[in-house]
Amino acid sequence: MSGLILHEYGRSGNCYKIRLTAAHVGIELERREYDIMKGETRTPEYLRDVNPNGRIPVLEDGDRFLPESNAICFYLANGTKLIPDGHFDQADMLRWMFWEQYNHEPNIATMRFWLRNVGLDALTDAQRMQIKGKRDAGLAALDLMDNHLDSRKWFVADQFSLADICLFAYTHVADEAEFDLEAYPSIVRWMERIMTMEEHVSLDD
Amino acid sequence: MSGLILHEYGRSGNCYKIRLTAAHVGIELERREYDIMKGETRTPEYLRDVNPNGRIPVLEDGDRFLPESNAICFYLANGTKLIPDGHFDQADMLRWMFWEQYNHEPNIATMRFWLRNVGLDALTDAQRMQIKGKRDAGLAALDLMDNHLDSRKWFVADQFSLADICLFAYTHVADEAEFDLEAYPSIVRWMERIMTMEEHVSLDD
């Protein structure tokens, strides 16, 4: 695989998980940055040529464009050791990736975006009304992860997989959404295992 | 595959998509019904034995339990013609399945649940404040699907796949969330193609 272009906003955990996957499988990505705060992914050109859904990340591979972060990770890792063997373990890995997008990202990542990028004072009333619900759901997500990791090194099949990468992306910056990770010792140990791997790259790399 | 038990709430589109997948690949499922309005998936026993996330659907296969509807569909369909060949097409199928859980289900399915199961009058203030946002996002999701289907019979790779099944589940009941499907002629034709397939089963079967 070569000539791949990642259309991204570098600080997004959804974009970072793709770069982390690429680092683990040894794929080089050309990076193209968009300022989402200036609406650069909502222009008529972006909607027509890159993603009709108006979001990053998108992977460009020749004349094809692939949106959705976890689908892009699956594409880059298909056929590598980041995806376990066996139908049950593959599905269990996807289970955690779907859970990440439904139960984790809309709470922890959205809170981080609201606090860091938008700012509390600039939130709409409808957004402000959701803060308590997102806070509670984010805490429940971290609880569930910590309990799962109490007796396991990795999320699925006793091996490092895309499930770990996709969950690591927003978990390791959950403090930026004002979640206190020190309350989750199994998560902290799991993050340390990931961050000390030889292939690891950080969000700021 | 045999002896599989689907822990479900039958009217849920997330549970229906699993039964539809099973019908297409010829797998029998034993069905176990929970009344989610009575909290039957939040009991200590359910959280301990079936799903710590307190949700349906969950597939029980021997001593293993698999939550997350789209992951369960992938498990049942792995190795069948419901998953296209080729790494790009497989990722593109997952792209639509992740999009369904992030952009479609939280808007169209949640609106359907709020209107049918909870009732407008019983919504919390925080929920009521989200109605406009969910309505707009649901319309945008249907627009995007209709545009995609303008020039295609199926979502991915010119073949019927899990992407179609997972998107069909809540789209075909979008009228129960007060979305007018007549405004989307390409979606209507796509739904007709699905509903006239020999293997098709309906939500009420």
Side-chain angles (χ1 to χ4, degrees):
Chain A
M1 268 186 186
S2 66
L4 299 175
I5 301 169
L6 178 61
H7 299 264
E8 69 165 349
Y9 171 67
R11 292 292 302 167
S12 153
N14 282 331
C15 298
Y16 168 53
K17 64 176 77 155
I18 296 164
R19 302 197 301 274
L20 184 51
T21 300
H24 274 276
V25 297
I27 289 175
E28 293 242 356
L29 299 174
E30 180 185 330
R31 298 169 62 174
R32 199 160 297 170
E33 180 81 4
Y34 295 80
D35 189 339
I36 55 174
M37 301 310 291
K38 291 186 181 155
E40 290 181 357
T41 63
R42 309 278 172 166
T43 65
E45 294 74 22
Y46 188 88
L47 296 174
R48 185 190 62 216
D49 297 338
V50 183
N51 184 6
N53 198 29
R55 290 170 181 268
I56 46 83
V58 174
L59 186 75
E60 180 178 347
D61 182 5
D63 59 357
R64 296 176 301 187
F65 291 82
L66 183 65
E68 297 298 325
S69 59
N70 290 359
I72 298 170
C73 290
F74 195 93
Y75 182 51
L76 297 179
N78 206 342
T80 77
K81 63 183 172 19
L82 290 183
I83 298 180
D85 293 330
H87 287 190
F88 190 89
D89 289 338
Q90 288 172 4
D92 202 29
M93 182 192 80
L94 287 170
R95 163 255 185 126
W96 285 107
M97 293 163 71
F98 281 111
W99 181 83
E100 189 264 342
Q101 285 287 290
Y102 197 89
N103 286 94
H104 189 293
E105 204 269 7
N107 301 306
I108 294 171
T110 298
M111 283 298 296
R112 175 175 176 255
F113 184 75
W114 286 358
L115 294 178
R116 282 177 54 97
N117 292 55
V118 182
L120 262 185
D121 293 344
L123 293 180
T124 65
D125 288 344
Q127 289 171 327
R128 203 169 288 117
M129 291 283 281
Q130 292 177 60
I131 287 181
K132 181 172 185 321
K134 287 187 182 294
R135 172 74 50 200
D136 291 346
L139 291 169
L142 293 171
D143 270 339
L144 192 145
M145 288 174 65
D146 201 57
N147 287 338
H148 187 75
L149 291 168
D150 272 353
S151 56
R152 293 173 185 86
K153 275 180 75 176
W154 309 113
F155 269 88
V156 176
D158 209 19
Q159 71 178 80
F160 179 70
S161 76
L162 288 185
D164 301 289
I165 288 177
C166 293
L167 283 166
F168 177 78
Y170 282 112
T171 301
H172 89 294
V173 290
D175 60 313
E176 297 179 5
E178 296 180 6
F179 290 95
D180 178 14
L181 288 172
E182 293 305 315
Y184 304 98
S186 295
I187 290 179
V188 169
R189 283 193 294 273
W190 164 77
M191 292 196 302
E192 285 168 357
R193 281 192 285 278
I194 293 175
M195 289 188 284
T196 53
M197 293 175 85
E198 195 178 334
E199 302 87 347
H200 191 71
V201 293
S202 83
L203 179 57
D204 299 315
D205 282 344
Chain B
M1 268 186 187
S2 66
L4 299 174
I5 300 168
L6 178 61
H7 299 263
E8 69 165 348
Y9 170 68
R11 293 293 302 168
S12 154
N14 283 330
C15 299
Y16 168 53
K17 65 176 78 156
I18 295 165
R19 302 197 302 273
L20 185 52
T21 300
H24 274 277
V25 298
I27 288 174
E28 294 242 356
L29 299 173
E30 181 185 331
R31 300 170 61 175
R32 199 160 296 172
E33 180 80 5
Y34 296 81
D35 188 339
I36 55 175
M37 302 309 291
K38 291 187 180 152
E40 290 181 358
T41 63
R42 310 276 173 169
T43 65
E45 293 74 24
Y46 188 89
L47 296 173
R48 185 190 64 217
D49 297 337
V50 183
N51 185 4
N53 198 30
R55 291 171 179 267
I56 46 84
V58 174
L59 187 75
E60 179 177 349
D61 182 5
D63 59 356
R64 297 176 300 187
F65 291 82
L66 183 65
E68 297 298 326
S69 58
N70 290 358
I72 298 170
C73 290
F74 194 93
Y75 181 51
L76 297 180
N78 206 342
T80 78
K81 63 182 174 15
L82 290 183
I83 298 180
D85 293 331
H87 287 189
F88 190 89
D89 288 338
Q90 287 172 3
D92 202 28
M93 181 193 79
L94 287 170
R95 162 256 185 124
W96 285 107
M97 293 163 71
F98 281 111
W99 180 83
E100 189 264 343
Q101 286 287 290
Y102 197 89
N103 286 93
H104 188 293
E105 204 269 9
N107 300 306
I108 295 171
T110 298
M111 283 298 296
R112 174 175 176 257
F113 184 75
W114 285 357
L115 294 177
R116 282 177 54 97
N117 292 55
V118 182
L120 262 185
D121 293 343
L123 293 179
T124 65
D125 288 344
Q127 288 171 328
R128 204 168 289 117
M129 291 283 282
Q130 293 178 59
I131 288 180
K132 183 175 183 317
K134 287 188 182 292
R135 173 73 49 199
D136 292 346
L139 291 169
L142 294 171
D143 270 340
L144 193 146
M145 288 174 66
D146 201 57
N147 288 336
H148 188 74
L149 291 168
D150 273 353
S151 56
R152 292 174 186 85
K153 275 179 74 175
W154 308 113
F155 269 88
V156 175
D158 209 18
Q159 71 178 80
F160 179 70
S161 76
L162 288 184
D164 301 289
I165 288 176
C166 293
L167 283 165
F168 177 78
Y170 282 111
T171 301
H172 90 292
V173 290
D175 60 313
E176 297 179 4
E178 295 179 9
F179 291 94
D180 178 14
L181 288 172
E182 293 305 315
Y184 304 97
S186 295
I187 290 179
V188 170
R189 282 192 294 272
W190 164 78
M191 292 194 303
E192 285 167 358
R193 282 192 285 277
I194 293 174
M195 289 187 287
T196 53
M197 293 175 85
E198 196 178 334
E199 302 87 349
H200 190 71
V201 293
S202 83
L203 179 57
D204 299 314
D205 282 343

